[in-house]
Amino acid sequence: MRAGDELPPLEIEITRTLIVAGAIASRDYQDVHHDAELARHRGSPDVFMNILTTNGLVGRYITDHFGPDAVLRKVAIRLGAPNYPGDTMVLTGRVEEVEGDTATVRVVGANGIGRHVTGTVTVTLPPGGAS
């Protein structure tokens, strides 16, 4: 693991089920995450993914790459373009800094209308655990 290393992209199909299940699992019962009619009434074309689901997908992206023993120390993300059903989000990452067994990874998740998520993840790897 070295600064500048690129992580392979991860494509995630954004389904209505993923959006609703993620909202329910994170106890986010805002209607815009499960009721298309109310979401439209509030000005959105459809239901959209909540930040907690996005946060979980970013964490999954990192641990899929670095392995199940990787420890997420800090996840700092910002949302942009919404994730709507029927789109695909592509997560990409780049190792920005490495200090000992800890790396900072810049993550971007883009969909058909723009960048859905940007941020950094600080991850610690067990000895011999770098990909």
Side-chain angles (χ1 to χ4, degrees), residues 2-32:
R2 292 178 306 235
D5 286 353
E6 301 280 338
L7 278 64
L10 174 64
E11 291 188 15
I12 299 173
E13 182 181 348
I14 307 302
T15 65
R16 187 171 306 278
T17 300
L18 175 62
I19 292 169
V20 173
I24 290 169
S26 61
R27 296 182 177 185
D28 183 346
Y29 303 117
Q30 292 292 318
D31 51 28
V32 294

Side-chain angles (χ1 to χ4, degrees), residues 62-129:
I62 297 298
T63 58
D64 279 0
H65 178 74
F66 290 107
D69 293 329
V71 177
L72 303 179
R73 298 292 180 190
K74 180 179 180 184
V75 178
I77 61 170
R78 168 171 259 151
L79 293 184
N83 266 340
Y84 293 117
D87 207 343
T88 300
M89 178 175 63
V90 179
L91 289 165
T92 57
R94 181 177 187 275
V95 177
E96 294 289 306
E97 182 181 344
V98 177
E99 190 173 314
D101 61 354
T102 300
T104 301
V105 181
R106 176 95 174 130
V107 177
V108 174
N111 60 33
I113 57 177
R115 286 185 170 182
H116 170 69
V117 61
T118 57
T120 58
V121 178
T122 303
V123 58
T124 300
L125 306 176

